[in-house]
Amino acid sequence: MQAQNSYRYDELIACANGQLFGEGNAQLPLPPLLMFDRITQISNQGGANNKGVVTAEFDIQPDLWFFASHFKGDPIMPGCLGLDALWQLLGFYLGWSGGLGRGRALGCQDLKFINAVPPNAKLITYTVDIKRVVNRKLVLGIADGIMAVDGEATYTAKNLKVGLFQSN
């Protein structure tokens, strides 16, 4: 596939199967760990830093797998899944922009969980604003991320870091 400015669910699944950026390069996880249904915007321009942006959406259904177990009587989406979605998007951006290697989350700073995601929520919107991409032996992406639920900021993460590692 050729680089585009948006991706449908079936194209995200192709990425998860290693068919988008080539064998040994950035892949998304397969469901149920794929935490968005579509990428609505991806660009190497724009965003808060004018260095690139990725926006994705996830449709919330009350019967999603994690609500049944987290927590009994008080179902909410685990915070780690929203954070992972932000890392997933940064790794996708690195592959989309031509970086080679397999993606690995490397950390973040100043993570805030402002609110929870209940089963009656409708839509999660993730926005990853690229701050820096280092393209050497290690491809490293640094970005800030926001997860909004039904239009309200719910999680924020500063200096998300994802690296692409090539096997020797």
Side-chain angles (χ1 to χ4, degrees):
M1 290 185 191
Q2 195 168 7
Q4 323 170 165
N5 63 7
S6 64
Y7 289 84
R8 300 179 316 264
Y9 185 76
D10 62 312
E11 294 168 320
L12 300 178
I13 297 300
C15 180
N17 286 313
Q19 300 165 344
L20 195 60
F21 303 125
E23 188 175 333
N25 292 317
Q27 288 179 248
L28 291 168
L30 286 164
L33 292 180
L34 176 61
M35 296 309 301
F36 40 92
D37 296 317
R38 63 201 151 270
I39 293 176
T40 58
Q41 174 191 19
I42 185 167
S43 174
N44 59 7
Q45 300 174 9
N49 306 298
N50 201 30
K51 294 186 176 187
V53 64
V54 186
T55 306
E57 296 177 338
F58 186 49
D59 300 316
I60 298 296
Q61 305 298 325
D63 62 349
L64 282 166
W65 63 276
F66 45 79
F67 287 131
S69 58
H70 191 267
F71 297 97
K72 186 174 183 175
D74 182 25
I76 60 172
M77 178 178 164
C80 60
L81 296 179
L83 174 59
D84 197 65
L86 296 171
W87 279 321
Q88 290 173 23
L89 286 169
L90 180 52
F92 186 93
Y93 178 87
L94 294 175
W96 174 86
S97 63
L100 301 177
R102 295 189 182 274
R104 298 292 183 263
L106 299 175
C108 72
Q109 296 174 337
D110 198 21
L111 174 64
K112 293 182 181 167
F113 295 127
I114 301 163
N115 211 338
V117 182
N120 65 342
K122 300 296 180 213
L123 181 70
I124 293 176
T125 304
Y126 303 100
T127 303
V128 173
D129 289 306
I130 306 304
K131 294 174 85 171
R132 186 171 180 206
V133 174
V134 176
N135 197 347
R136 296 193 182 117
K137 183 174 182 178
L138 166 69
V139 177
L140 175 67
I142 302 170
D144 292 339
I146 298 173
M147 183 180 116
V149 177
D150 296 333
E152 297 290 324
T154 302
Y155 304 171
T156 62
K158 300 286 185 194
N159 294 319
L160 295 155
K161 293 180 183 77
V162 171
L164 298 183
F165 297 84
Q166 295 184 43
S167 56
N168 294 332

